[in-house]
Amino acid sequence: MFNADRFQLFIIATHLTSASVAKLLGVSPSTIDRYRIGTAVPPKRMCLLMERTWPDWWPFLTKQTSQLPEG
């Protein structure tokens, strides 16, 4: 399951902003902020898009591994 704390780490580690993530995913920056702080959970369709967009990060974002991806 998607983890907000790990999503925050992902944004920091990749040097992305809420605005840049929002543009990549086709949503508003405020939606990304809600995912990031944990007040909203991304729906299944958004999770599938995130998994396709960042396949190396998806296992970390969903607590399948605790290891940060390289690069």
Side-chain angles (χ1 to χ4, degrees), residues 25-55:
L25 299 177
V27 296
S28 70
S30 59
T31 297
I32 298 303
D33 288 339
R34 287 191 288 275
Y35 297 162
R36 186 178 50 78
I37 62 174
T39 57
V41 177
K44 186 170 180 85
R45 285 179 46 196
M46 181 58 65
C47 287
L48 289 172
L49 180 58
M50 288 178 179
E51 183 177 10
R52 283 188 221 123
T53 305
W54 301 294

PDB file of all heavy atoms in Angstrom, residues 25-55:
ATOM      1  N   LEU A  25       2.019  13.631 -13.571  1.00  0.00           N
ATOM      2  CA  LEU A  25       0.879  12.745 -13.329  1.00  0.00           C
ATOM      3  C   LEU A  25      -0.461  13.319 -13.800  1.00  0.00           C
ATOM      4  O   LEU A  25      -1.479  12.635 -13.740  1.00  0.00           O
ATOM      5  CB  LEU A  25       0.800  12.390 -11.845  1.00  0.00           C
ATOM      6  CG  LEU A  25       2.019  11.653 -11.280  1.00  0.00           C
ATOM      7  CD1 LEU A  25       1.853  11.435  -9.787  1.00  0.00           C
ATOM      8  CD2 LEU A  25       2.246  10.338 -12.002  1.00  0.00           C
ATOM      9  N   GLY A  26      -0.466  14.573 -14.221  1.00  0.00           N
ATOM     10  CA  GLY A  26      -1.687  15.178 -14.728  1.00  0.00           C
ATOM     11  C   GLY A  26      -2.710  15.535 -13.667  1.00  0.00           C
ATOM     12  O   GLY A  26      -3.917  15.448 -13.898  1.00  0.00           O
ATOM     13  N   VAL A  27      -2.213  15.939 -12.495  1.00  0.00           N
ATOM     14  CA  VAL A  27      -3.095  16.374 -11.410  1.00  0.00           C
ATOM     15  C   VAL A  27      -2.602  17.719 -10.894  1.00  0.00           C
ATOM     16  O   VAL A  27      -1.568  18.218 -11.335  1.00  0.00           O
ATOM     17  CB  VAL A  27      -3.155  15.333 -10.256  1.00  0.00           C
ATOM     18  CG1 VAL A  27      -3.762  14.022 -10.722  1.00  0.00           C
ATOM     19  CG2 VAL A  27      -1.783  15.104  -9.656  1.00  0.00           C
ATOM     20  N   SER A  28      -3.302  18.283  -9.935  1.00  0.00           N
ATOM     21  CA  SER A  28      -2.895  19.575  -9.381  1.00  0.00           C
ATOM     22  C   SER A  28      -1.810  19.383  -8.313  1.00  0.00           C
ATOM     23  O   SER A  28      -1.731  18.330  -7.678  1.00  0.00           O
ATOM     24  CB  SER A  28      -4.096  20.289  -8.763  1.00  0.00           C
ATOM     25  OG  SER A  28      -4.496  19.623  -7.582  1.00  0.00           O
ATOM     26  N   PRO A  29      -0.993  20.406  -8.103  1.00  0.00           N
ATOM     27  CA  PRO A  29      -0.002  20.330  -7.030  1.00  0.00           C
ATOM     28  C   PRO A  29      -0.634  20.113  -5.658  1.00  0.00           C
ATOM     29  O   PRO A  29      -0.052  19.432  -4.813  1.00  0.00           O
ATOM     30  CB  PRO A  29       0.709  21.691  -7.098  1.00  0.00           C
ATOM     31  CG  PRO A  29       0.563  22.113  -8.522  1.00  0.00           C
ATOM     32  CD  PRO A  29      -0.812  21.620  -8.924  1.00  0.00           C
ATOM     33  N   SER A  30      -1.825  20.642  -5.443  1.00  0.00           N
ATOM     34  CA  SER A  30      -2.478  20.433  -4.145  1.00  0.00           C
ATOM     35  C   SER A  30      -2.854  18.964  -3.941  1.00  0.00           C
ATOM     36  O   SER A  30      -2.819  18.460  -2.814  1.00  0.00           O
ATOM     37  CB  SER A  30      -3.699  21.342  -3.977  1.00  0.00           C
ATOM     38  OG  SER A  30      -4.637  21.101  -4.993  1.00  0.00           O
ATOM     39  N   THR A  31      -3.161  18.260  -5.023  1.00  0.00           N
ATOM     40  CA  THR A  31      -3.429  16.823  -4.918  1.00  0.00           C
ATOM     41  C   THR A  31      -2.165  16.088  -4.488  1.00  0.00           C
ATOM     42  O   THR A  31      -2.204  15.230  -3.605  1.00  0.00           O
ATOM     43  CB  THR A  31      -3.946  16.270  -6.258  1.00  0.00           C
ATOM     44  OG1 THR A  31      -5.184  16.895  -6.562  1.00  0.00           O
ATOM     45  CG2 THR A  31      -4.128  14.764  -6.205  1.00  0.00           C
ATOM     46  N   ILE A  32      -1.042  16.437  -5.079  1.00  0.00           N
ATOM     47  CA  ILE A  32       0.230  15.825  -4.700  1.00  0.00           C
ATOM     48  C   ILE A  32       0.545  16.138  -3.249  1.00  0.00           C
ATOM     49  O   ILE A  32       0.995  15.265  -2.498  1.00  0.00           O
ATOM     50  CB  ILE A  32       1.370  16.293  -5.637  1.00  0.00           C
ATOM     51  CG1 ILE A  32       1.093  15.856  -7.079  1.00  0.00           C
ATOM     52  CG2 ILE A  32       2.719  15.785  -5.153  1.00  0.00           C
ATOM     53  CD1 ILE A  32       0.906  14.359  -7.273  1.00  0.00           C
ATOM     54  N   ASP A  33       0.295  17.365  -2.819  1.00  0.00           N
ATOM     55  CA  ASP A  33       0.521  17.723  -1.411  1.00  0.00           C
ATOM     56  C   ASP A  33      -0.343  16.880  -0.480  1.00  0.00           C
ATOM     57  O   ASP A  33       0.113  16.453   0.577  1.00  0.00           O
ATOM     58  CB  ASP A  33       0.262  19.212  -1.182  1.00  0.00           C
ATOM     59  CG  ASP A  33       1.339  20.094  -1.793  1.00  0.00           C
ATOM     60  OD1 ASP A  33       2.458  19.596  -2.046  1.00  0.00           O
ATOM     61  OD2 ASP A  33       1.055  21.285  -2.024  1.00  0.00           O
ATOM     62  N   ARG A  34      -1.568  16.611  -0.869  1.00  0.00           N
ATOM     63  CA  ARG A  34      -2.440  15.763  -0.033  1.00  0.00           C
ATOM     64  C   ARG A  34      -1.902  14.337   0.041  1.00  0.00           C
ATOM     65  O   ARG A  34      -1.948  13.711   1.101  1.00  0.00           O
ATOM     66  CB  ARG A  34      -3.875  15.786  -0.552  1.00  0.00           C
ATOM     67  CG  ARG A  34      -4.594  17.096  -0.271  1.00  0.00           C
ATOM     68  CD  ARG A  34      -6.087  16.999  -0.547  1.00  0.00           C
ATOM     69  NE  ARG A  34      -6.386  16.946  -1.968  1.00  0.00           N
ATOM     70  CZ  ARG A  34      -6.521  17.995  -2.764  1.00  0.00           C
ATOM     71  NH1 ARG A  34      -6.366  19.211  -2.268  1.00  0.00           N
ATOM     72  NH2 ARG A  34      -6.806  17.854  -4.028  1.00  0.00           N
ATOM     73  N   TYR A  35      -1.392  13.814  -1.052  1.00  0.00           N
ATOM     74  CA  TYR A  35      -0.760  12.483  -1.031  1.00  0.00           C
ATOM     75  C   TYR A  35       0.483  12.502  -0.149  1.00  0.00           C
ATOM     76  O   TYR A  35       0.739  11.582   0.616  1.00  0.00           O
ATOM     77  CB  TYR A  35      -0.343  12.033  -2.433  1.00  0.00           C
ATOM     78  CG  TYR A  35      -1.439  11.834  -3.437  1.00  0.00           C
ATOM     79  CD1 TYR A  35      -1.134  11.797  -4.797  1.00  0.00           C
ATOM     80  CD2 TYR A  35      -2.774  11.689  -3.078  1.00  0.00           C
ATOM     81  CE1 TYR A  35      -2.116  11.599  -5.754  1.00  0.00           C
ATOM     82  CE2 TYR A  35      -3.768  11.513  -4.033  1.00  0.00           C
ATOM     83  CZ  TYR A  35      -3.428  11.464  -5.371  1.00  0.00           C
ATOM     84  OH  TYR A  35      -4.392  11.284  -6.319  1.00  0.00           O
ATOM     85  N   ARG A  36       1.257  13.576  -0.283  1.00  0.00           N
ATOM     86  CA  ARG A  36       2.534  13.697   0.422  1.00  0.00           C
ATOM     87  C   ARG A  36       2.365  13.780   1.932  1.00  0.00           C
ATOM     88  O   ARG A  36       3.128  13.184   2.683  1.00  0.00           O
ATOM     89  CB  ARG A  36       3.273  14.937  -0.105  1.00  0.00           C
ATOM     90  CG  ARG A  36       4.664  15.130   0.417  1.00  0.00           C
ATOM     91  CD  ARG A  36       5.327  16.352  -0.194  1.00  0.00           C
ATOM     92  NE  ARG A  36       4.531  17.557  -0.151  1.00  0.00           N
ATOM     93  CZ  ARG A  36       4.368  18.320   0.917  1.00  0.00           C
ATOM     94  NH1 ARG A  36       4.941  18.018   2.056  1.00  0.00           N
ATOM     95  NH2 ARG A  36       3.626  19.415   0.866  1.00  0.00           N
ATOM     96  N   ILE A  37       1.353  14.517   2.390  1.00  0.00           N
ATOM     97  CA  ILE A  37       1.162  14.661   3.838  1.00  0.00           C
ATOM     98  C   ILE A  37       0.217  13.608   4.409  1.00  0.00           C
ATOM     99  O   ILE A  37       0.041  13.526   5.616  1.00  0.00           O
ATOM    100  CB  ILE A  37       0.695  16.084   4.223  1.00  0.00           C
ATOM    101  CG1 ILE A  37      -0.638  16.415   3.598  1.00  0.00           C
ATOM    102  CG2 ILE A  37       1.748  17.104   3.865  1.00  0.00           C
ATOM    103  CD1 ILE A  37      -1.213  17.744   4.043  1.00  0.00           C
ATOM    104  N   GLY A  38      -0.369  12.805   3.554  1.00  0.00           N
ATOM    105  CA  GLY A  38      -1.174  11.689   4.022  1.00  0.00           C
ATOM    106  C   GLY A  38      -2.635  11.987   4.291  1.00  0.00           C
ATOM    107  O   GLY A  38      -3.328  11.164   4.888  1.00  0.00           O
ATOM    108  N   THR A  39      -3.126  13.139   3.845  1.00  0.00           N
ATOM    109  CA  THR A  39      -4.550  13.429   4.053  1.00  0.00           C
ATOM    110  C   THR A  39      -5.423  12.789   2.985  1.00  0.00           C
ATOM    111  O   THR A  39      -6.638  12.740   3.132  1.00  0.00           O
ATOM    112  CB  THR A  39      -4.826  14.949   4.096  1.00  0.00           C
ATOM    113  OG1 THR A  39      -4.355  15.541   2.891  1.00  0.00           O
ATOM    114  CG2 THR A  39      -4.134  15.587   5.293  1.00  0.00           C
ATOM    115  N   ALA A  40      -4.794  12.307   1.921  1.00  0.00           N
ATOM    116  CA  ALA A  40      -5.510  11.584   0.865  1.00  0.00           C
ATOM    117  C   ALA A  40      -4.624  10.438   0.387  1.00  0.00           C
ATOM    118  O   ALA A  40      -3.402  10.526   0.426  1.00  0.00           O
ATOM    119  CB  ALA A  40      -5.846  12.511  -0.302  1.00  0.00           C
ATOM    120  N   VAL A  41      -5.270   9.378  -0.037  1.00  0.00           N
ATOM    121  CA  VAL A  41      -4.570   8.220  -0.588  1.00  0.00           C
ATOM    122  C   VAL A  41      -4.836   8.199  -2.087  1.00  0.00           C
ATOM    123  O   VAL A  41      -5.980   8.362  -2.517  1.00  0.00           O
ATOM    124  CB  VAL A  41      -5.082   6.921   0.065  1.00  0.00           C
ATOM    125  CG1 VAL A  41      -4.414   5.700  -0.542  1.00  0.00           C
ATOM    126  CG2 VAL A  41      -4.861   6.958   1.568  1.00  0.00           C
ATOM    127  N   PRO A  42      -3.809   8.012  -2.892  1.00  0.00           N
ATOM    128  CA  PRO A  42      -4.036   7.979  -4.332  1.00  0.00           C
ATOM    129  C   PRO A  42      -4.955   6.810  -4.707  1.00  0.00           C
ATOM    130  O   PRO A  42      -4.789   5.707  -4.182  1.00  0.00           O
ATOM    131  CB  PRO A  42      -2.643   7.777  -4.937  1.00  0.00           C
ATOM    132  CG  PRO A  42      -1.671   7.794  -3.825  1.00  0.00           C
ATOM    133  CD  PRO A  42      -2.401   7.817  -2.552  1.00  0.00           C
ATOM    134  N   PRO A  43      -5.897   7.055  -5.604  1.00  0.00           N
ATOM    135  CA  PRO A  43      -6.755   5.960  -6.057  1.00  0.00           C
ATOM    136  C   PRO A  43      -5.951   4.945  -6.871  1.00  0.00           C
ATOM    137  O   PRO A  43      -4.823   5.209  -7.294  1.00  0.00           O
ATOM    138  CB  PRO A  43      -7.814   6.648  -6.914  1.00  0.00           C
ATOM    139  CG  PRO A  43      -7.245   7.973  -7.264  1.00  0.00           C
ATOM    140  CD  PRO A  43      -6.235   8.328  -6.215  1.00  0.00           C
ATOM    141  N   LYS A  44      -6.553   3.807  -7.088  1.00  0.00           N
ATOM    142  CA  LYS A  44      -5.871   2.710  -7.779  1.00  0.00           C
ATOM    143  C   LYS A  44      -5.304   3.138  -9.139  1.00  0.00           C
ATOM    144  O   LYS A  44      -4.169   2.807  -9.471  1.00  0.00           O
ATOM    145  CB  LYS A  44      -6.821   1.533  -7.946  1.00  0.00           C
ATOM    146  CG  LYS A  44      -6.147   0.309  -8.526  1.00  0.00           C
ATOM    147  CD  LYS A  44      -7.041  -0.903  -8.451  1.00  0.00           C
ATOM    148  CE  LYS A  44      -6.374  -2.111  -9.036  1.00  0.00           C
ATOM    149  NZ  LYS A  44      -5.533  -2.822  -8.120  1.00  0.00           N
ATOM    150  N   ARG A  45      -6.066   3.891  -9.909  1.00  0.00           N
ATOM    151  CA  ARG A  45      -5.582   4.345 -11.225  1.00  0.00           C
ATOM    152  C   ARG A  45      -4.333   5.208 -11.091  1.00  0.00           C
ATOM    153  O   ARG A  45      -3.406   5.110 -11.892  1.00  0.00           O
ATOM    154  CB  ARG A  45      -6.665   5.120 -11.960  1.00  0.00           C
ATOM    155  CG  ARG A  45      -7.739   4.230 -12.525  1.00  0.00           C
ATOM    156  CD  ARG A  45      -8.828   4.984 -13.226  1.00  0.00           C
ATOM    157  NE  ARG A  45      -8.308   6.010 -14.124  1.00  0.00           N
ATOM    158  CZ  ARG A  45      -9.015   7.000 -14.613  1.00  0.00           C
ATOM    159  NH1 ARG A  45     -10.289   7.118 -14.306  1.00  0.00           N
ATOM    160  NH2 ARG A  45      -8.476   7.885 -15.413  1.00  0.00           N
ATOM    161  N   MET A  46      -4.300   6.064 -10.068  1.00  0.00           N
ATOM    162  CA  MET A  46      -3.127   6.915  -9.845  1.00  0.00           C
ATOM    163  C   MET A  46      -1.946   6.063  -9.396  1.00  0.00           C
ATOM    164  O   MET A  46      -0.814   6.296  -9.829  1.00  0.00           O
ATOM    165  CB  MET A  46      -3.430   7.991  -8.802  1.00  0.00           C
ATOM    166  CG  MET A  46      -2.272   8.919  -8.540  1.00  0.00           C
ATOM    167  SD  MET A  46      -1.661   9.803 -10.001  1.00  0.00           S
ATOM    168  CE  MET A  46      -3.064  10.820 -10.387  1.00  0.00           C
ATOM    169  N   CYS A  47      -2.199   5.070  -8.570  1.00  0.00           N
ATOM    170  CA  CYS A  47      -1.117   4.172  -8.142  1.00  0.00           C
ATOM    171  C   CYS A  47      -0.527   3.439  -9.337  1.00  0.00           C
ATOM    172  O   CYS A  47       0.700   3.291  -9.436  1.00  0.00           O
ATOM    173  CB  CYS A  47      -1.628   3.189  -7.094  1.00  0.00           C
ATOM    174  SG  CYS A  47      -1.906   3.952  -5.481  1.00  0.00           S
ATOM    175  N   LEU A  48      -1.369   3.000 -10.249  1.00  0.00           N
ATOM    176  CA  LEU A  48      -0.870   2.327 -11.450  1.00  0.00           C
ATOM    177  C   LEU A  48      -0.017   3.273 -12.292  1.00  0.00           C
ATOM    178  O   LEU A  48       1.025   2.878 -12.828  1.00  0.00           O
ATOM    179  CB  LEU A  48      -2.030   1.775 -12.276  1.00  0.00           C
ATOM    180  CG  LEU A  48      -2.759   0.578 -11.673  1.00  0.00           C
ATOM    181  CD1 LEU A  48      -4.010   0.250 -12.480  1.00  0.00           C
ATOM    182  CD2 LEU A  48      -1.847  -0.624 -11.589  1.00  0.00           C
ATOM    183  N   LEU A  49      -0.445   4.522 -12.397  1.00  0.00           N
ATOM    184  CA  LEU A  49       0.332   5.511 -13.148  1.00  0.00           C
ATOM    185  C   LEU A  49       1.668   5.782 -12.463  1.00  0.00           C
ATOM    186  O   LEU A  49       2.708   5.861 -13.119  1.00  0.00           O
ATOM    187  CB  LEU A  49      -0.472   6.805 -13.303  1.00  0.00           C
ATOM    188  CG  LEU A  49       0.202   7.935 -14.061  1.00  0.00           C
ATOM    189  CD1 LEU A  49       0.601   7.504 -15.473  1.00  0.00           C
ATOM    190  CD2 LEU A  49      -0.723   9.142 -14.113  1.00  0.00           C
ATOM    191  N   MET A  50       1.669   5.899 -11.147  1.00  0.00           N
ATOM    192  CA  MET A  50       2.916   6.101 -10.411  1.00  0.00           C
ATOM    193  C   MET A  50       3.847   4.910 -10.592  1.00  0.00           C
ATOM    194  O   MET A  50       5.053   5.079 -10.770  1.00  0.00           O
ATOM    195  CB  MET A  50       2.636   6.308  -8.918  1.00  0.00           C
ATOM    196  CG  MET A  50       2.031   7.619  -8.568  1.00  0.00           C
ATOM    197  SD  MET A  50       1.743   7.642  -6.784  1.00  0.00           S
ATOM    198  CE  MET A  50       1.059   9.268  -6.584  1.00  0.00           C
ATOM    199  N   GLU A  51       3.294   3.726 -10.544  1.00  0.00           N
ATOM    200  CA  GLU A  51       4.104   2.524 -10.720  1.00  0.00           C
ATOM    201  C   GLU A  51       4.761   2.495 -12.099  1.00  0.00           C
ATOM    202  O   GLU A  51       5.927   2.127 -12.239  1.00  0.00           O
ATOM    203  CB  GLU A  51       3.242   1.281 -10.523  1.00  0.00           C
ATOM    204  CG  GLU A  51       4.010  -0.010 -10.609  1.00  0.00           C
ATOM    205  CD  GLU A  51       3.155  -1.226 -10.343  1.00  0.00           C
ATOM    206  OE1 GLU A  51       1.909  -1.105 -10.275  1.00  0.00           O
ATOM    207  OE2 GLU A  51       3.730  -2.314 -10.208  1.00  0.00           O
ATOM    208  N   ARG A  52       4.027   2.904 -13.135  1.00  0.00           N
ATOM    209  CA  ARG A  52       4.581   2.949 -14.485  1.00  0.00           C
ATOM    210  C   ARG A  52       5.585   4.085 -14.660  1.00  0.00           C
ATOM    211  O   ARG A  52       6.551   3.965 -15.400  1.00  0.00           O
ATOM    212  CB  ARG A  52       3.465   3.105 -15.512  1.00  0.00           C
ATOM    213  CG  ARG A  52       2.730   1.832 -15.765  1.00  0.00           C
ATOM    214  CD  ARG A  52       1.768   1.967 -16.922  1.00  0.00           C
ATOM    215  NE  ARG A  52       0.542   1.277 -16.572  1.00  0.00           N
ATOM    216  CZ  ARG A  52      -0.668   1.807 -16.548  1.00  0.00           C
ATOM    217  NH1 ARG A  52      -0.860   3.042 -16.906  1.00  0.00           N
ATOM    218  NH2 ARG A  52      -1.696   1.085 -16.194  1.00  0.00           N
ATOM    219  N   THR A  53       5.333   5.213 -13.984  1.00  0.00           N
ATOM    220  CA  THR A  53       6.194   6.382 -14.119  1.00  0.00           C
ATOM    221  C   THR A  53       7.515   6.204 -13.376  1.00  0.00           C
ATOM    222  O   THR A  53       8.567   6.619 -13.872  1.00  0.00           O
ATOM    223  CB  THR A  53       5.462   7.643 -13.607  1.00  0.00           C
ATOM    224  OG1 THR A  53       4.217   7.772 -14.305  1.00  0.00           O
ATOM    225  CG2 THR A  53       6.281   8.901 -13.827  1.00  0.00           C
ATOM    226  N   TRP A  54       7.454   5.589 -12.191  1.00  0.00           N
ATOM    227  CA  TRP A  54       8.645   5.394 -11.367  1.00  0.00           C
ATOM    228  C   TRP A  54       8.752   3.925 -10.929  1.00  0.00           C
ATOM    229  O   TRP A  54       8.655   3.600  -9.753  1.00  0.00           O
ATOM    230  CB  TRP A  54       8.590   6.290 -10.133  1.00  0.00           C
ATOM    231  CG  TRP A  54       8.498   7.736 -10.467  1.00  0.00           C
ATOM    232  CD1 TRP A  54       9.448   8.502 -11.077  1.00  0.00           C
ATOM    233  CD2 TRP A  54       7.383   8.606 -10.240  1.00  0.00           C
ATOM    234  NE1 TRP A  54       8.992   9.782 -11.232  1.00  0.00           N
ATOM    235  CE2 TRP A  54       7.726   9.881 -10.724  1.00  0.00           C
ATOM    236  CE3 TRP A  54       6.130   8.440  -9.648  1.00  0.00           C
ATOM    237  CZ2 TRP A  54       6.869  10.968 -10.659  1.00  0.00           C
ATOM    238  CZ3 TRP A  54       5.277   9.512  -9.586  1.00  0.00           C
ATOM    239  CH2 TRP A  54       5.647  10.763 -10.082  1.00  0.00           C
ATOM    240  N   PRO A  55       9.003   3.016 -11.868  1.00  0.00           N
ATOM    241  CA  PRO A  55       9.037   1.590 -11.520  1.00  0.00           C
ATOM    242  C   PRO A  55      10.134   1.228 -10.515  1.00  0.00           C
ATOM    243  O   PRO A  55       9.943   0.324  -9.705  1.00  0.00           O
ATOM    244  CB  PRO A  55       9.254   0.890 -12.860  1.00  0.00           C
ATOM    245  CG  PRO A  55       9.858   1.922 -13.748  1.00  0.00           C
ATOM    246  CD  PRO A  55       9.304   3.238 -13.280  1.00  0.00           C
TER     247      PRO A  55
END
